[in-house]
């Protein structure tokens, strides 16, 4: 789908590499530019096997690696050659760093006016927090996610998966795709500014309806839904947890399966608001009923009645689920000395195209020679670049 698109990728750690890996596995030629000695710092992050980082591998499939010392004039010459043939540039330096390095949008659009340039950062290129450093947990705290996560009477906690990095990477890839479409029509390049903070705030959409429409501020509710009852994790007879959620029709089915008293099949319990106003009573009745059987038994019974439910699975259980395998959410590829390895696939399902791994995760600088030769550099030129510590 992006087979004729070339991306120059100056990103590292998570949000940027996640974004560019999406583009790569939709067919783009992504050239990952890395620091000459250690590269992307996540090459050394846990877990490590045979000198490969599982963290790095999860975010950098299907790319080519080019090492450059960005503080040298010769590197800027190479970047100029690359930018002339690139469609997209992605960077996630702190605001102002790209400008100091001579690779800002303003500088690169002089070389290629049609370039689409994406900047990913903690707080964006404008605003009072523009220069403030922020990693995913900081953004989760600052953007309100932590205030909503955890038990009702417990301390705020972060989500285990990096929601700020992931959402910024997703918004970034979507914005690049939109800009490519616009450029195909108008011929005009674009400068895109995506902030982790903005991305998380934008995800709060439905929850902000509460303070926008009332004087209430959403608070932590553990596994409970703020306005759907029942909806929480309930303990079952074998110690497993089951999450159940119902609309009005499904509530009646749940009453039947749990053999609840007839009064629960009448108002006020048959309306969303009625159940919400009687949350503690409803939760008590459902919890008492679910302790009578094992979790797996309840799943079978409730699904037969069309009541949405799921056991609370751990990650190993998710990876082994038939549904996970049927949806091709696990991909395998050959990774050098590691042999066959596995990772998580992107979830797109196209009728006439596919997202797929284009190449294994690159070693640091693995494609230096290949890429430079594409731009006319000779073996002698490349040897000299190595001697001068440019690559």
């Amino acid at each position: 789908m992006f087979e004729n698109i070339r991306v120059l990728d100056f990103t590292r750690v998570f949000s940027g590499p996640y974004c560019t890996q999406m583009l790569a596995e939709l067919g783009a030629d992504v050239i990952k530019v890395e620091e000459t000695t250690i590269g992307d710092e996540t090459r050394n992050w846990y877990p490590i096997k045979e000198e490969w980082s599982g963290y790095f591998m999860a975010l950098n499939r299907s790319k080519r690696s080019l090492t450059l010392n960005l503080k040298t004039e010769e590197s800027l010459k190479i970047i100029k050659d690359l930018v002339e043939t690139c469609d997209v540039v992605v960077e996630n330096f702190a605001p102002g760093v790209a400008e100091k390095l001579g690779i800002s949008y303003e500088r690169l659009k002089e070389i290629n006016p049609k370039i689409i340039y994406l900047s990913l950062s903690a707080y964006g290129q404008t605003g009072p927090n523009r220069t403030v450093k922020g990693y995913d947990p900081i953004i989760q705290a600052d953007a309100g996610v932590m205030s909503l996560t955890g038990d009702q009477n417990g301390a705020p906690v972060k989500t285990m998966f990096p929601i700020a990095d992931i959402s910024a990477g997703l918004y970034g890839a979507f914005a690049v795709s939109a800009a490519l479409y616009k450029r195909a029509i108008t011929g005009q390049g674009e400068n895109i500014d995506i902030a982790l903070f903005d991305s998380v705030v934008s995800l709060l959409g439905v929850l902000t309806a509460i303070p926008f429409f009332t004087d209430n501020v959403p608070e932590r509710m553990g596994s409970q839904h703020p306005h759907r009852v029942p909806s929480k994790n309930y303990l079952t007879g074998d110690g497993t947890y089951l999450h159940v959620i119902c609309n009005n029709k499904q509530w009646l089915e749940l009453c039947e399966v749990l053999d609840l008293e007839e009064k629960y099949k009448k108002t006020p319990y048959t309306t969303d608001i009625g159940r919400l106003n009687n949350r503690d009573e409803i939760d008590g009745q459902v919890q008492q009923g679910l302790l009578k059987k094992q979790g797996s038994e309840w799943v079978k019974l409730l699904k037969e009645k069309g009541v949405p439910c799921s056991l609370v699975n751990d990650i190993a259980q998710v990876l082994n689920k038939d549904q996970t395998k049927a949806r091709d959410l696990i991909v395998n590829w050959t990774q050098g000395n590691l042999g066959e390895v596995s990772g998580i696939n992107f979830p797109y399902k196209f009728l006439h195209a596919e997202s797929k791994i284009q190449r294994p995760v690159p070693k640091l600088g693995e494609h230096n020679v290949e890429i430079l030769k594409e731009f006319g550099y000779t073996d002698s030129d490349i040897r000299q670049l190595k001697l001068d510590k440019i690559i």
Side-chain angles (χ1 to χ4, degrees):
M1 298 182 72
F2 286 147
E3 282 77 9
N4 297 316
I5 300 298
R6 174 171 284 169
V7 179
L8 190 57
D9 178 7
F10 291 107
T11 69
R12 70 266 184 243
V13 189
F14 198 118
S15 62
Y18 185 67
C19 171
T20 55
Q21 183 170 270
M22 277 187 275
L23 301 176
E25 299 198 347
L26 288 172
D29 175 21
V30 175
I31 298 174
K32 182 178 177 72
V33 178
E34 300 186 69
E35 194 271 336
T36 54
T37 54
I38 61 170
D40 185 324
E41 57 260 48
T42 63
R43 283 184 177 273
N44 297 306
W45 285 15
Y46 175 85
I48 299 287
K49 184 177 181 180
E50 300 288 340
E51 299 184 358
W52 285 99
S53 160
Y55 189 109
F56 180 83
M57 287 172 58
L59 299 165
N60 290 283
R61 302 183 306 241
S62 303
K63 305 175 186 179
R64 298 195 284 173
S65 173
L66 171 68
T67 56
L68 285 177
N69 180 351
L70 294 178
K71 296 179 180 178
T72 65
E73 286 297 321
E74 190 61 40
S75 286
L76 289 178
K77 273 185 61 182
I78 294 170
I79 289 169
K80 179 179 181 295
D81 291 338
L82 289 166
V83 169
E84 286 177 346
T85 70
C86 280
D87 301 278
V88 178
V89 172
V90 185
E91 58 92 1
N92 64 348
F93 299 113
V97 172
E99 187 175 358
K100 289 179 183 177
L101 293 171
I103 56 173
S104 66
Y105 171 68
E106 295 299 328
R107 293 287 294 274
L108 298 190
K109 79 170 183 178
E110 293 174 3
I111 300 167
N112 182 351
K114 294 185 177 182
I115 200 72
I116 292 166
Y117 190 103
L118 168 63
S119 295
L120 291 155
S121 61
Y123 288 97
Q125 306 299 308
T126 60
N129 287 348
R130 172 180 179 270
T131 60
V132 175
K133 296 184 184 301
Y135 294 98
D136 186 277
I138 302 303
I139 302 301
Q140 287 196 37
D142 199 13
V145 172
M146 284 191 191
S147 77
L148 301 169
T149 309
D151 290 331
Q152 192 167 16
N153 298 314
V157 298
K158 74 178 183 70
T159 65
M160 189 64 173
F161 67 96
I163 191 170
D165 282 321
I166 290 171
S167 59
L170 288 168
Y171 282 127
F174 178 77
V176 165
S177 300
L180 286 167
Y181 176 77
K182 177 186 174 185
R183 192 185 67 177
I185 297 170
T186 66
Q188 183 180 16
E190 187 57 86
N191 186 16
I192 305 166
D193 173 11
I194 300 284
L196 274 67
F197 179 81
D198 301 2
S199 299
V200 173
V201 171
S202 75
L203 296 178
L204 300 177
V206 172
L207 289 171
T208 58
I210 298 173
F212 282 162
F213 278 72
T214 72
D215 293 328
N216 300 321
V217 177
E219 298 177 346
R220 289 185 298 285
M221 299 188 68
S223 65
Q224 296 182 95
H225 196 285
H227 54 261
R228 296 288 294 277
V229 178
S231 178
K232 64 174 289 187
N233 295 336
Y234 298 97
L235 187 65
T236 69
D238 62 351
T240 57
Y241 282 93
L242 180 75
H243 199 102
V244 179
I245 187 171
C246 298
N247 61 23
N248 292 333
K249 179 178 182 298
Q250 293 156 354
W251 166 248
L252 295 176
E253 299 289 359
L254 180 62
C255 287
E256 183 179 333
V257 174
L258 295 182
D259 194 25
L260 298 185
E261 295 177 38
E262 282 299 313
K263 77 170 189 175
Y264 292 111
K265 300 176 185 178
K266 301 174 183 177
T267 56
Y269 304 104
T270 53
T271 67
D272 290 319
I273 293 295
R275 291 193 301 279
L276 181 63
N277 291 336
N278 293 277
R279 182 191 290 273
D280 291 342
E281 180 183 2
I282 293 295
D283 281 339
Q285 290 293 316
V286 174
Q287 178 60 88
Q288 185 178 345
L290 289 174
L291 284 171
K292 296 175 181 178
K293 295 180 186 294
Q294 295 184 1
S296 57
E297 293 180 77
W298 285 123
V299 169
K300 183 175 185 297
L301 290 169
L302 291 172
K303 286 188 174 181
E304 285 175 353
K305 289 291 187 177
V307 178
C309 66
S310 175
L311 292 174
V312 178
N313 296 309
D314 64 29
I315 298 301
Q317 290 169 323
V318 173
L319 296 178
N320 284 300
K321 286 178 73 68
D322 290 340
Q323 182 69 16
T324 302
K325 296 171 184 176
R327 295 291 291 172
D328 295 323
L329 291 172
I330 298 175
V331 288
N332 301 308
W333 72 95
T334 302
Q335 184 64 45
N337 58 325
L338 289 181
E340 186 172 274
V341 295
S342 300
I344 298 299
N345 201 2
F346 289 111
Y348 333 114
K349 299 291 183 288
F350 299 105
L351 180 60
H352 301 298
E354 63 179 334
S355 169
K356 64 179 180 180
I357 295 176
Q358 307 291 334
R359 59 178 76 235
V361 179
K363 295 179 181 178
L364 181 61
E366 179 178 344
H367 302 98
N368 284 355
V369 173
E370 175 183 301
I371 293 169
L372 291 171
K373 282 191 171 184
E374 289 175 8
F375 291 88
Y377 287 79
T378 65
D379 289 333
S380 176
D381 295 332
I382 295 169
R383 280 194 298 271
Q384 191 60 50
L385 290 171
K386 288 181 181 176
L387 289 172
D388 294 338
K389 298 183 178 179
I390 306 299
I391 61 173

